[in-house]
Amino acid sequence: MFNVSFDGGTFPLTDVQENPARYVRRLERAKVTPGYATCECVTCSPPLQLVIRRYGSLLHLAGWPDDGHRHQRDCSFFKDPDVPRPVSGSDAKAAILTTPTGLNVKLDASLTLRESTTGSRGSPATPSNRTNRRSASLLAFLQTLWAEAGLNQWTWTATSRHWGQCNAQLLAEVGTALINGANAQDVLHIMRRYDEADRAAINAEFDAFIGRLGGNNGRTRRGLVIGEINEVSPTQYGHALSLRQSARKYYASTTLVDHAARTYPHAWRALGDRAARVIALLLVERTPKGHLKLVDLAAMLCSRAFLPCDSMPEVAMANRLVAEGRDFQKPVRLNDGDDMLPDFVLRDT
């Protein structure tokens, strides 16, 4: 694995990704002077620069704009110019756009609701002069973000992938994104890897995010949460969902859980299977009593190494390709007009 350098030191990239809290002060100093970090995956002069980006209470490293192709292929910051990406800003009606400042996403879910004159909830707080732009489902956004972060790719030099690395690569892509017109860090929380030593800080960061949700001045703010599903269990009034990164419960109606089971059958049947992982994008509200209510969710089936898959046979194949040290990519459908895609693309033969 490669090293990165900042604040006069050189550190393993995996440690910076897995334990971001350890490097906050160093990254804060480097963000001021010289204003960037460097990646040591290749030897060149000047070295490849990395963006130091704040998201929540921590700082994270991201690839320098339009510089991804210069990194080694097995570096986390490598961007393959031949891999399809979301449409550029030339299509103003596309649901997910790539812009010079990051992703611009319009979801088919409302993140801000306002009280109607009848007292019912559910009216989206959107401007009346909005453009007739298409919208993306929660799953489409989750898959696009996964592909943008390079988590649908595997290189023969990799031996494992943990949630800390997924978190770091996702934050590198979403840090400057706009979601329904709002800054991503105001509406999206990507769960951190659980670390007992950082439990208090992790909980405080999540509580601060949740604290911004709820009703105020006739409006209700919702939030998005990404994490790995641990369990879905029945309760007296419906179901409770928990994520592996936190013991916090998200409460859902039986109707929503039944809908999720029908909409994401392969992912839902894989819950509890140690060969697979199920990643969720949750749309949540905070109730007046402080509970987290699930409004909607998307579930994405993944292999043991967090590679997205469309079925359990694909999970078995992805696990085997990783075990055999293959170099491959799992194509992800990013645009409605994409042709039929292969299950995997082998890049080492």
Side-chain angles (χ1 to χ4, degrees):
M1 183 51 69
F2 303 111
N3 294 328
V4 290
S5 296
F6 51 87
D7 191 39
T10 299
F11 315 96
L13 175 58
T14 51
D15 194 54
V16 176
Q17 292 176 327
E18 293 277 355
N19 303 285
R22 296 179 185 173
Y23 298 92
V24 171
R25 292 186 179 180
R26 283 183 172 272
L27 286 170
E28 284 178 338
R29 290 193 291 264
K31 187 172 175 62
V32 176
T33 305
Y36 57 84
T38 59
C39 181
E40 310 297 326
C41 71
V42 296
T43 302
C44 61
S45 182
L48 297 178
Q49 296 180 4
L50 299 174
V51 177
I52 301 174
R53 184 172 292 153
R54 182 177 294 279
Y55 198 96
S57 62
L58 301 178
L59 290 103
H60 306 272
L61 298 177
W64 204 260
D66 301 321
D67 215 19
H69 64 283
R70 299 178 60 198
H71 291 262
Q72 283 200 28
R73 286 189 60 257
D74 47 349
C75 175
S76 295
F77 304 110
F78 174 76
K79 296 292 182 184
D80 190 338
D82 297 325
V83 172
R85 301 193 64 194
V87 297
S88 66
S90 60
D91 182 0
K93 293 186 177 181
I96 302 177
L97 298 167
T98 55
T99 73
T101 57
L103 289 175
N104 187 321
V105 182
K106 181 187 177 186
L107 296 176
D108 62 4
S110 297
L111 299 180
T112 304
L113 305 180
R114 62 188 174 195
E115 298 288 347
S116 69
T117 55
T118 59
S120 62
R121 296 173 54 199
S123 301
T126 52
S128 58
N129 61 345
R130 63 183 179 183
T131 60
N132 188 25
R133 185 179 171 189
R134 298 187 294 274
S135 58
S137 67
L138 294 179
L139 180 61
F141 172 49
L142 182 59
Q143 291 176 322
T144 299
L145 185 56
W146 222 254
E148 285 290 282
L151 295 173
N152 63 325
Q153 302 182 51
W154 193 262
T155 61
W156 64 271
T157 58
T159 56
S160 63
R161 179 188 285 162
H162 304 292
W163 182 253
Q165 183 178 352
C166 294
N167 172 276
Q169 291 184 218
L170 291 170
L171 289 174
E173 295 304 320
V174 80
T176 57
L178 290 176
I179 303 175
N180 286 13
N183 290 326
Q185 62 180 306
D186 293 333
V187 296
L188 172 64
H189 184 85
I190 301 173
M191 300 299 296
R192 283 174 58 183
R193 179 184 68 89
Y194 179 77
D195 186 333
E196 178 62 27
D198 292 331
R199 180 176 61 176
I202 292 173
N203 290 339
E205 184 180 62
F206 185 65
D207 289 343
F209 173 78
I210 295 302
R212 296 196 294 269
L213 308 182
N216 186 29
N217 296 327
R219 296 193 175 196
T220 299
R221 294 187 59 182
R222 294 169 168 175
L224 298 164
V225 178
I226 293 178
E228 181 186 353
I229 296 180
N230 177 50
E231 183 183 35
V232 180
S233 56
T235 68
Q236 182 180 357
Y237 302 105
H239 288 77
L241 181 148
S242 62
L243 301 175
R244 290 195 182 279
Q245 294 78 22
S246 170
R248 195 75 178 259
K249 300 289 186 180
Y250 304 82
Y251 296 98
S253 67
T254 299
T255 301
L256 176 59
V257 169
D258 289 345
H259 174 75
R262 292 192 305 270
T263 307
Y264 315 106
H266 298 294
W268 218 252
R269 287 196 293 267
L271 291 173
D273 191 326
R274 293 188 176 184
R277 300 180 185 272
V278 180
I279 306 303
L281 174 57
L282 309 178
L283 177 63
V284 302
E285 285 183 9
R286 181 168 58 87
T287 69
K289 293 184 177 181
H291 299 304
L292 293 179
K293 173 187 174 183
L294 266 182
V295 179
D296 199 359
L297 67 89
M300 181 176 68
L301 177 65
C302 288
S303 72
R304 192 179 294 115
F306 295 100
L307 290 151
C309 297
D310 298 321
S311 64
M312 284 304 294
E314 283 195 8
V315 167
M317 178 58 74
N319 288 339
R320 175 175 173 175
L321 292 172
V322 168
E324 293 182 356
R326 302 300 298 268
D327 188 323
F328 66 96
Q329 174 199 355
K330 166 62 181 175
V332 175
R333 190 176 305 280
L334 299 179
N335 303 308
D336 294 337
D338 286 345
D339 295 329
M340 184 179 295
L341 300 176
D343 294 341
F344 299 96
V345 176
L346 301 178
R347 303 185 296 193
D348 55 5
T349 182

